[in-house]
């Protein structure tokens, strides 16, 4: 870690906010984007954190990411909501989409929302947590329109994105359950982080451009490209297929049909089911039964080398507590890429360095 710089959350947020604002975004947009990205870093998901800024900046320059967009309502029947993200910042589009969905779920008991054409919406757990703040359960299926990066089970080249799946469940007076994972063995951003760090990946994670096993992350970052493998063999690959169709097609958006045309760096579609347990009449039952099962689940004697059995979302909260106290580690390559991105928006390196402290 000697080459790393450690930056406290607040100055890092300020630096990212300044870069986004320099690209023409409003104060509100710059705030939503920067806080979302830093929150991902705080929770240990550096793949979805500030290291995304260089890609976002390039997307703005290329015309694939439109600044200051707001979610467009295509259809609204109350329980059913179809939305278009108009290629706007996913951090803004996702936030607005979940606020609309939460409002309708609290009114009608449930909201099924199809969101299409949002630029990269980041860590999906963020949207589950937003629903949790409203006391709502949510389920999310997501697809990715970009350069295909994940191979189907039994395949030897990339055919789709990392296609995340997520569920958020609130707990009365206790930390929620947040299940959030890519359907690939590893998130694409984590391979970028490994490449920037100069470290190998675990065996069985990726294949090279000839479909052969490799541990070198360069095959997911620079040409010639290989592919990430699905998690859980045919099971993860099947879930990725479902996420592609539900998140991409049923949402009103598009699915991956071939190699990227290069116009958009990354678009997401998301199908979300947002449920109000109170309206369902099961809130008290849910609260009681969740605690019964969590106690039983976590009461399993820890395996050798494990301190305790955890619930989904707990490792992220532990990491956040640690990084709020100690700062967020940023590798030199990622930091240099962030500085270069700022330069594209007219911010010199010294200005960003000063803001970041």
């Amino acid at each position: 870690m000697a080459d790393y710089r450690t930056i406290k959350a607040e100055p890092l947020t300020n630096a990212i906010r300044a870069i986004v604002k320099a690209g023409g975004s409003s104060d509100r947009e710059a705030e939503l984007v920067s806080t979302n990205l830093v929150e991902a870093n705080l929770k240990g998901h550096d793949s979805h954190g500030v290291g995304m800024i260089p890609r976002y900046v390039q997307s703005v320059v290329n015309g694939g990411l439109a600044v200051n967009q707001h979610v467009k309502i295509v259809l609204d029947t109350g329980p059913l909501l179809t939305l278009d993200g108009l290629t706007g910042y996913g951090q803004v589009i996702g936030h607005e989409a979940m606020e609309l969905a939460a409002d309708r779920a609290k009114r009608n008991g449930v909201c099924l929302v199809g969101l299409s054409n949002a630029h990269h919406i980041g860590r999906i757990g963020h949207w589950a947590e937003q629903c949790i703040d409203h006391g709502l359960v949510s389920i999310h299926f997501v697809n990715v329109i970009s350069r295909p990066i994940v191979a189907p089970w039994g395949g030897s080249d990339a055919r789709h994105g990392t296609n995340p799946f997520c569920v958020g469940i609130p707990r009365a007076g206790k930390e929620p359950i947040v299940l959030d994972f890519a359907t690939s063995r590893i998130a694409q951003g984590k391979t970028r982080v490994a490449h920037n760090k100069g470290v190998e990946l675990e065996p069985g994670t990726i294949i090279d451009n000839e479909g052969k096993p490799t541990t070198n992350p360069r095959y997911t970052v620079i040409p010639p490209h290989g592919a990430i493998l699905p998690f859980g063999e045919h099971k993860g690959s099947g879930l990725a297929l479902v996420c592609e169709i539900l998140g991409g097609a049923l949402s009103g958006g598009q699915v991956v049909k071939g190699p990227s045309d290069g116009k958009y760096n990354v678009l997401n579609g998301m199908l979300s089911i947002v449920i109000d347990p109170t309206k369902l009449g099961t809130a008290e039952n849910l609260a009681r039964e969740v605690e019964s099962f969590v106690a039983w689940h976590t009461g399993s004697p820890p395996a050798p080398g494990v301190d305790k059995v955890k619930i989904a979302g707990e490792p992220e909260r532990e990491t956040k507590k640690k990084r709020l106290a100690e700062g967020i580690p940023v590798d030199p390559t990622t930091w240099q890429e962030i500085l270069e991105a700022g330069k594209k928006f007219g911010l010199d390196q010294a200005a960003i360095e000063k803001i970041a402290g």
Side-chain angles (χ1 to χ4, degrees), residues 124-125 128 138 140 165-169 176-181 312-313 316:
I124 309 306
S138 64
H140 310 264
F165 173 76
C166 179
V167 179
I169 304 170
I177 295 166
V178 183
L179 176 71
D180 176 22
F181 58 80
E316 286 84 353

Side-chain angles (χ1 to χ4, degrees), residues 69-289:
Q69 293 297 315
H70 298 284
V71 73
K72 177 186 175 184
I73 297 175
V74 178
L75 177 138
D76 182 2
T77 69
L80 297 171
L81 197 55
T82 308
L83 306 172
D84 190 327
L86 304 175
T87 72
Y89 269 110
Q91 288 75 12
V92 175
I93 300 302
H95 176 81
E96 293 178 351
M98 290 304 100
E99 285 302 294
L100 288 168
D103 174 71
R104 281 143 187 78
K106 286 188 277 191
R107 205 186 305 161
N108 302 292
V110 65
C111 183
L112 178 70
V113 54
L115 171 65
S116 64
N117 300 319
H119 196 265
H120 186 244
I121 55 177
R123 186 179 68 92
I124 309 306
H126 192 94
W127 312 122
E129 288 159 1
Q130 187 177 337
C131 293
I132 284 166
D133 288 342
H134 286 282
L136 306 171
V137 172
S138 64
I139 306 164
H140 310 264
F141 302 88
V142 184
N143 88 316
V144 187
I145 299 294
S146 185
R147 173 175 62 83
I149 190 64
V150 182
W153 173 244
S156 60
D157 69 353
R159 294 285 156 157
H160 57 78
T162 53
N163 293 14
F165 173 76
C166 179
V167 179
I169 304 170
R171 293 169 68 201
K174 296 192 177 179
E175 296 287 7
I177 295 166
V178 183
L179 176 71
D180 176 22
F181 58 80
T183 50
S184 50
R185 283 289 302 270
I186 187 173
Q188 181 179 1
K190 284 185 168 61
T191 68
R192 184 195 71 245
V193 171
H195 183 254
N196 287 351
K197 287 180 179 177
V199 299
E200 299 284 293
L201 296 170
E202 289 289 325
T205 302
I206 64 170
I207 51 178
D208 65 16
N209 60 305
E210 296 179 345
K212 297 174 182 174
T214 181
T215 59
N216 188 343
R218 53 100 44 227
Y219 287 103
T220 64
V221 181
I222 55 176
H225 293 114
I228 308 171
L229 295 171
F231 94 92
E233 302 176 340
H234 59 287
K235 297 177 182 179
S237 191
L239 186 54
L241 174 73
V242 167
C243 286
E244 186 71 36
I245 294 166
L246 297 184
L250 188 58
S251 70
Q254 51 188 315
V255 296
V256 175
K257 302 179 184 76
S260 172
D261 62 7
K263 185 179 179 184
Y264 303 118
N265 272 5
V266 55
L267 288 177
N268 286 130
M270 180 166 70
L271 185 80
S272 301
I273 305 164
V274 184
I275 304 162
D276 185 344
T278 303
K279 286 280 190 180
L280 191 61
T282 62
E284 289 183 12
N285 187 72
L286 174 68
R288 182 178 63 250
E289 294 299 317

Side-chain angles (χ1 to χ4, degrees), residues 318-338:
E318 291 174 353
T319 302
K320 181 176 179 177
K321 184 177 178 181
K322 186 172 187 286
R323 288 188 169 186
L324 277 174
E326 299 175 3
I328 295 166
V330 182
D331 68 84
T333 303
T334 297
W335 184 245
Q336 189 56 44
E337 288 176 352
I338 290 170

